Amino acid sequence: MRLEKCWFCSSTVYPGHGIQFVRNDAKIFHFCRSKCHKNFKMKRNPRKVKWTKAYSRLHGKDMTQDSTFEFERKRNRPERYDRNLAENTLKAIKKIDKIRSDRASDHIKNKSFSRLKTGKVQRQKEARKQLELGIHLVKAPLALAQDSSLCLPKIKVNVSQAQTEENQPMEE
Amino acid sequence: MRTVLKVVDNSGAKKVMCIQALKGKKGARLGDTIIASVKEAMPNGKVKKGKVVYGVVVRAAMQRGRCDGSEVRFDDNAVVLVDKQGQPIGTRVFGPVPHELRQKKHVKILTLAEHIA
């Protein structure tokens, strides 16, 4: 018994589900359900179909590089049954799975271009910090020093009698 | 009946037409034996056009269920010509073959195959 990955959507195919298609060049395609099978017959490229894992990995919406992926690889050598090994493997699978899904959800939350609500606060904080550090790219430092109204409100300016007259409207 | 199948061994025939499925009322499936008539043959081969031969279906576009619950289907309908005892007439088999043949005791075809699906 082997859990395969659907060729189209990359979900796991459990025993009793799906269809295996063998092409004449002996390449085998596994499909989890007829939706994927029909899309394949229509010659659709999974990398262009939005709901597949292939699309989301290609467009950076999902985590692609992580050390946890090294554990799950196709091995064709049958292992001699060892009870301890089997027990440890099962425990490890659980742990690795949890770590991987935590990292994947972190990746989704903190994406800089994410339209998700979560992570918005963090992204705004990052944007504000970047603006502070990089304000010299927007406006020359000399001009900033002369015209205090161009600075961010966070930077405190000593309001004295002489300086209030200098508060001119922003040059643009 | 009347299904034209591709011949994937080097027995000389190219296309055969099924005239009888040996087992099953509804027709032959993957791994079954059929009686076929040679419709198209290579000019100098062991079998000639018009000959009635036996064949084993090695690839079928109709899916066949396996004992683990999955289903397999191939790209085309293909047959390997055998004699009455079940031994293949040709000496080579092209393309993938299913391992359902092992249960049907067509071991010789499996050994000649280049890929077992």
Side-chain angles (χ1 to χ4, degrees):
Chain A
M1 184 191 83
R2 187 158 225 172
L3 297 180
E4 305 284 352
K5 291 270 174 207
C6 174
W7 185 84
F8 201 80
C9 64
S10 316
S11 60
T12 27
V13 189
Y14 284 90
H17 289 261
I19 289 188
Q20 260 183 37
F21 171 61
V22 185
R23 209 164 54 180
N24 276 352
D25 59 357
K27 183 154 161 70
I28 305 180
F29 299 87
H30 300 270
F31 301 107
C32 59
R33 55 199 196 281
S34 63
K35 175 180 183 181
C36 305
H37 191 32
K38 284 182 184 160
N39 272 295
F40 172 78
K41 284 197 269 190
M42 272 194 265
K43 300 193 176 175
R44 285 200 181 150
N45 189 355
R47 289 166 175 234
K48 292 195 171 175
V49 179
K50 296 239 168 81
W51 50 270
T52 55
K53 271 277 191 195
Y55 177 93
S56 54
R57 281 193 202 129
L58 186 71
H59 289 79
K61 311 232 180 237
D62 263 345
M63 188 170 69
T64 27
Q65 294 205 358
D66 197 36
S67 50
T68 46
F69 290 137
E70 305 293 311
F71 292 105
E72 189 178 339
R73 240 196 261 133
K74 186 167 184 180
R75 278 138 233 213
N76 283 322
R77 282 178 95 201
E79 293 281 334
R80 180 163 285 177
Y81 179 72
D82 179 24
R83 194 199 165 120
N84 288 332
L85 181 69
E87 224 178 283
N88 292 340
T89 311
L90 283 171
K91 284 192 204 151
I93 288 175
K94 258 193 169 163
K95 188 133 205 233
I96 293 167
D97 217 45
K98 184 169 180 328
I99 295 174
R100 193 188 59 221
S101 43
D102 284 343
R103 287 191 192 172
S105 58
D106 282 341
H107 178 267
I108 292 172
K109 265 198 263 176
N110 302 335
K111 276 202 299 275
S112 57
F113 53 85
S114 166
R115 280 177 284 133
L116 296 176
K117 247 189 174 167
T118 54
K120 192 168 175 183
V121 172
Q122 190 189 21
R123 271 177 270 127
Q124 278 182 347
K125 247 197 302 186
E126 276 178 7
R128 202 173 297 141
K129 191 162 168 218
Q130 201 180 34
L131 187 62
E132 272 181 44
L133 291 174
I135 194 74
H136 63 277
L137 295 166
V138 176
K139 204 74 194 171
L142 224 56
L144 269 181
Q146 286 171 3
D147 195 347
S148 51
S149 69
L150 284 176
C151 294
L152 288 174
K154 207 174 146 197
I155 301 172
K156 287 204 162 56
V157 175
N158 290 328
V159 179
S160 64
Q161 280 301 98
Q163 277 190 337
T164 41
E165 289 153 29
E166 285 178 40
N167 271 351
Q168 284 139 29
M170 273 211 356
E171 327 161 1
E172 206 57 57
Chain B
M1 286 292 216
R2 297 197 77 84
T3 306
V4 176
L5 299 120
K6 206 160 77 162
V7 177
V8 288
D9 57 7
N10 57 353
S11 56
K14 283 273 156 198
K15 292 237 157 78
V16 294
M17 185 170 86
C18 172
I19 51 180
Q20 185 67 263
L22 280 179
K23 266 219 158 114
K25 201 160 51 169
K26 288 194 198 163
R29 288 178 164 200
L30 194 62
D32 293 341
T33 331
I34 60 168
I35 306 181
S37 148
V38 178
K39 288 293 173 190
E40 200 182 298
M42 296 261 278
N44 26 323
K46 285 182 229 175
V47 293
K48 299 268 183 274
K49 184 174 151 193
K51 186 157 177 260
V52 172
V53 286
Y54 284 75
V56 170
V57 180
V58 294
R59 293 206 282 275
M62 174 163 163
Q63 63 266 28
R64 184 179 177 125
R66 290 214 161 139
C67 25
D68 65 348
S70 62
E71 307 209 312
V72 230
R73 47 167 272 154
F74 289 83
D75 212 358
D76 58 352
N77 303 311
V79 80
V80 166
L81 300 187
V82 291
D83 59 17
K84 256 205 156 150
Q85 276 70 44
Q87 304 301 313
I89 300 176
T91 52
R92 283 180 71 190
V93 167
F94 304 106
V97 295
H99 51 73
E100 266 84 355
L101 297 178
R102 192 179 294 272
Q103 215 191 23
K104 307 262 177 187
K105 306 283 192 266
H106 294 122
V107 188
K108 198 85 202 305
I109 301 178
L110 281 172
T111 55
L112 293 170
E114 51 185 44
H115 194 271
I116 304 184

